[in-house]
Amino acid sequence: MIVVTGATGNIGRPLTQALAAADQQVTAVSRHTAAVPEGVRHVAADLAAPAGLKPALAGAKALFLLLSGDLHAAGAGPADIIGQAAASGVRRVVLLSTLGVVTRPFGPTRIAMRALEDTLRESGLEWAILRPGGFASNALWWAESVRAQQVVAAPFGDVGVPIIDPADIAEVAAACLLEDRHAGGVYELTGPEVITPRQQAAAIAGALG
Ligand SMILES: NC(=O)c1ccc[n+]([C@@H]2O[C@H](COP(=O)([O-])OP(=O)(O)OC[C@H]3O[C@@H](n4cnc5c(N)ncnc54)[C@H](OP(=O)(O)O)[C@@H]3O)[C@@H](O)[C@H]2O)c1
């Protein structure tokens, strides 16, 4: 059985679907109950209280670990989740980190994420670490201002980054969970081309007419 945390989010939803489609037993974890693909078990738990993950982790062989943005700031001790997974018999953990640990390593959340990567490496478990750059889904943050004012606000309109579709991250995560050859892999993940906020705004304008 494979446990997917963040299961109802941008990455977790397609990942849960992909694993279920690959005939894997899947436990989807989020705080709020939500619809999950047929055959998938949903367990409501808060990653800020790792002991509460016990029922989700019981009998699991692998864990996809995705922390919500503010877990480090809350001082929740996400390293305890890795300890809890090991104690539950999980053998493989795929950690969703961030490219920020390389490109902007000095912020407090990036320092905490790098420490969590190190905890996982030293855990004795099999592991893989995914370091994606900016998500294409971040454009959804503009939805309200586009609807209300037809405005996209971005600090650097002509600075592009190779944003990545979260569904592509989910595909990589599924491969790392299912295939032995990714053990010990650290994967920096981006999309295929640099795109600027101005280009994204133009694409949205084109789509909306
Ligand atoms: N956006 C970017 O450009 C970017 C770049 C690199 C890395 N990342 C990383 O990507 C992650 C976000 O991925 P995403 O976009 O797929 O997430 P998302 O769409 O924001 O979804 C978050 C998921 O986590 C669950 N969740 C949130 N807080 C939780 C908690 N305390 N305990 C248990 N479950 C919780 C949510 O469900 P509930 O609310 O029901 O709990 C939901 O299923 C973050 O770790 C972020 O640092 C983001």
Side-chain angles (χ1 to χ4, degrees), residues 46-55 57 80-81 84:
D46 190 334
L47 294 175
L53 288 171
K54 238 177 169 174
L57 291 169
D80 293 344
I81 300 170
Q84 184 76 59

Side-chain angles (χ1 to χ4, degrees), residues 6-12 29-32 45-48 66-69 71 96-99 132-135 137-138 141:
T8 57
N10 296 308
I11 298 171
V29 175
S30 62
R31 289 167 303 178
H32 306 96
D46 190 334
L47 294 175
L66 181 152
L67 302 173
S68 86
L71 265 193
L96 194 279
S97 177
T98 169
L99 194 55
F135 295 1
S137 51
N138 294 351
W141 297 339

Side-chain angles (χ1 to χ4, degrees), residues 51-130:
L53 288 171
K54 238 177 169 174
L57 291 169
K61 63 177 180 182
L63 167 68
F64 176 70
L65 181 54
L66 181 152
L67 302 173
S68 86
D70 57 2
L71 265 193
H72 289 297
D80 293 344
I81 300 170
I82 293 170
Q84 184 76 59
S88 302
V90 168
R91 292 190 295 280
R92 177 176 297 177
V93 175
V94 176
L95 174 65
L96 194 279
S97 177
T98 169
L99 194 55
V101 301
V102 180
T103 56
R104 289 171 293 146
F106 302 115
T109 57
R110 260 89 60 180
I111 290 169
M113 182 53 86
R114 181 71 87 154
L116 187 62
E117 289 187 359
D118 291 343
T119 299
L120 179 57
R121 285 178 217 264
E122 291 155 15
S123 65
L125 298 168
E126 279 181 22
W127 55 267
I129 292 169
L130 309 185

Side-chain angles (χ1 to χ4, degrees), residues 145-174:
S145 68
V146 166
R147 241 192 310 267
Q149 301 157 297
Q150 299 185 324
V151 165
V152 161
F156 305 105
D158 293 313
V159 176
V161 291
I163 54 171
I164 181 166
D165 188 327
D168 289 342
I169 303 170
E171 274 195 48
V172 176

